Coordinates of all heavy atoms in Angstrom, one line a residue:
F285 N -17.1 4.2 -7.6 CA -18.0 5.3 -7.7 C -18.8 5.3 -9.0 O -18.7 4.4 -9.8 CB -17.2 6.7 -7.7 CG -16.5 6.9 -6.4 CD1 -15.1 6.6 -6.3 CD2 -17.1 7.4 -5.3 CE1 -14.5 6.8 -5.1 CE2 -16.5 7.6 -4.1 CZ -15.1 7.3 -4.0
S286 N -19.7 6.2 -9.2 CA -20.6 6.3 -10.3 C -19.8 6.5 -11.6 O -18.7 7.1 -11.6 CB -21.6 7.4 -10.1 OG -22.3 7.7 -11.2
W287 N -20.4 6.1 -12.7 CA -19.8 6.4 -14.0 C -19.8 7.9 -14.3 O -19.0 8.3 -15.1 CB -20.6 5.6 -15.1 CG -22.0 6.0 -15.3 CD1 -23.1 5.6 -14.6 CD2 -22.5 7.1 -16.1 NE1 -24.2 6.2 -15.0 CE2 -23.9 7.2 -16.0 CE3 -21.9 7.9 -17.0 CZ2 -24.7 8.1 -16.6 CZ3 -22.7 8.8 -17.7 CH2 -24.1 8.9 -17.5
K288 N -20.7 8.6 -13.7 CA -20.7 10.1 -13.9 C -19.4 10.7 -13.4 O -18.9 11.6 -14.0 CB -21.9 10.7 -13.3 CG -23.2 10.2 -13.9 CD -24.4 10.8 -13.1 CE -25.7 10.2 -13.7 NZ -26.9 10.6 -12.9
I289 N -18.9 10.3 -12.2 CA -17.7 10.8 -11.7 C -16.5 10.4 -12.6 O -15.6 11.2 -12.8 CB -17.5 10.3 -10.3 CG1 -18.6 10.9 -9.4 CG2 -16.1 10.7 -9.7 CD1 -18.6 10.4 -8.0
D290 N -16.5 9.2 -13.1 CA -15.5 8.8 -14.0 C -15.5 9.6 -15.3 O -14.5 10.0 -15.8 CB -15.7 7.3 -14.4 CG -14.5 6.7 -15.2 OD1 -13.4 7.1 -14.9 OD2 -14.8 5.9 -16.1
L291 N -16.7 9.9 -15.8 CA -16.8 10.7 -17.0 C -16.4 12.1 -16.8 O -15.7 12.7 -17.6 CB -18.3 10.7 -17.5 CG -18.6 11.4 -18.8 CD1 -17.9 10.8 -20.0 CD2 -20.1 11.5 -19.0
L292 N -16.7 12.7 -15.6 CA -16.2 14.0 -15.2 C -14.7 14.1 -15.1 O -14.1 15.0 -15.6 CB -16.9 14.5 -13.9 CG -16.4 15.8 -13.4 CD1 -16.9 16.9 -14.3 CD2 -16.9 16.0 -12.0
Q293 N -14.2 13.0 -14.5 CA -12.7 13.0 -14.4 C -12.0 12.9 -15.8 O -11.0 13.5 -16.0 CB -12.3 11.8 -13.5 CG -10.9 11.7 -13.2 CD -10.6 10.5 -12.4 OE1 -11.4 9.6 -12.1 NE2 -9.4 10.4 -11.9
S294 N -12.6 12.1 -16.7 CA -12.1 12.0 -18.0 C -12.2 13.4 -18.7 O -11.2 13.8 -19.4 CB -12.8 11.0 -18.8 OG -12.6 9.7 -18.2
A295 N -13.3 14.1 -18.6 CA -13.5 15.4 -19.2 C -12.5 16.4 -18.7 O -11.9 17.2 -19.4 CB -14.9 15.9 -19.0
V296 N -12.2 16.4 -17.4 CA -11.2 17.3 -16.8 C -9.8 16.9 -17.3 O -9.1 17.8 -17.6 CB -11.3 17.2 -15.2 CG1 -10.1 17.9 -14.6 CG2 -12.6 17.8 -14.8
S297 N -9.5 15.7 -17.4 CA -8.2 15.2 -17.9 C -8.0 15.7 -19.4 O -6.9 16.2 -19.7 CB -8.0 13.7 -17.9 OG -8.1 13.3 -16.5
V298 N -9.0 15.6 -20.2 CA -8.9 16.0 -21.6 C -8.8 17.5 -21.6 O -8.1 18.1 -22.4 CB -10.1 15.5 -22.4 CG1 -10.2 16.2 -23.8 CG2 -10.1 14.0 -22.5
A299 N -9.5 18.2 -20.8 CA -9.4 19.7 -20.7 C -8.0 20.2 -20.3 O -7.5 21.1 -20.9 CB -10.5 20.3 -19.8
I300 N -7.5 19.5 -19.3 CA -6.1 19.9 -18.9 C -5.1 19.6 -20.0 O -4.2 20.4 -20.3 CB -5.7 19.1 -17.6 CG1 -6.5 19.7 -16.5 CG2 -4.2 19.2 -17.3 CD1 -6.4 18.9 -15.2
A301 N -5.3 18.4 -20.7 CA -4.4 18.1 -21.8 C -4.5 19.1 -22.9 O -3.6 19.5 -23.6 CB -4.7 16.7 -22.3
G302 N -5.8 19.5 -23.2 CA -6.0 20.5 -24.3 C -5.4 21.8 -23.9 O -4.8 22.5 -24.8
Y303 N -5.5 22.2 -22.7 CA -4.8 23.5 -22.3 C -3.3 23.4 -22.4 O -2.7 24.3 -22.9 CB -5.2 23.8 -20.8 CG -4.5 25.0 -20.3 CD1 -4.8 26.3 -20.7 CD2 -3.4 24.9 -19.4 CE1 -4.2 27.4 -20.3 CE2 -2.7 26.0 -18.9 CZ -3.1 27.3 -19.4 OH -2.4 28.4 -18.9
C304 N -2.7 22.2 -22.0 CA -1.3 22.1 -22.1 C -0.8 22.1 -23.6 O 0.2 22.6 -23.9 CB -0.8 20.8 -21.5 SG -1.0 20.8 -19.7
V305 N -1.6 21.5 -24.5 CA -1.3 21.5 -25.9 C -1.4 22.9 -26.4 O -0.6 23.4 -27.2 CB -2.3 20.6 -26.7 CG1 -2.2 20.8 -28.2 CG2 -2.0 19.1 -26.4
H306 N -2.4 23.6 -26.0 CA -2.6 25.0 -26.4 C -1.4 25.9 -26.0 O -1.0 26.8 -26.7 CB -3.9 25.6 -25.9 CG -4.1 27.0 -26.4 ND1 -4.4 27.4 -27.7 CD2 -4.1 28.2 -25.7 CE1 -4.5 28.7 -27.7 NE2 -4.4 29.2 -26.5
V307 N -1.0 25.7 -24.8 CA 0.2 26.5 -24.3 C 1.5 26.1 -25.0 O 2.3 27.0 -25.4 CB 0.3 26.3 -22.7 CG1 1.6 26.9 -22.2 CG2 -0.9 27.0 -22.0
A308 N 1.7 24.8 -25.1 CA 3.0 24.3 -25.7 C 3.0 24.5 -27.2 O 4.1 24.9 -27.7 CB 3.2 22.9 -25.4
A309 N 2.0 24.3 -27.9 CA 1.9 24.4 -29.4 C 0.6 24.8 -29.8 O -0.3 24.0 -30.1 CB 2.3 23.0 -30.0
P310 N 0.3 26.1 -29.9 CA -1.0 26.6 -30.2 C -1.5 26.2 -31.6 O -2.7 26.1 -31.7 CB -0.9 28.2 -30.1 CG 0.4 28.4 -29.3 CD 1.2 27.2 -29.5
N311 N -0.6 26.0 -32.5 CA -1.1 25.6 -33.8 C -1.6 24.1 -33.8 O -2.3 23.7 -34.8 CB 0.1 25.7 -34.8 CG 1.3 25.0 -34.4 OD1 1.5 24.6 -33.3 ND2 2.2 24.9 -35.4
L312 N -1.3 23.3 -32.8 CA -1.9 22.0 -32.7 C -3.2 21.9 -31.9 O -3.7 20.8 -31.8 CB -0.8 21.1 -32.1 CG 0.5 20.8 -32.9 CD1 1.4 19.9 -32.1 CD2 0.1 20.2 -34.2

Side-chain angles (χ1 to χ4, degrees):
F285 295 99
S286 169
W287 63 271
K288 295 175 185 176
I289 294 175
D290 186 40
L291 184 65
L292 177 67
Q293 184 179 8
S294 297
V296 168
S297 298
V298 170
I300 290 171
Y303 175 74
C304 291
V305 167
H306 180 69
V307 168
N311 54 346
L312 293 179

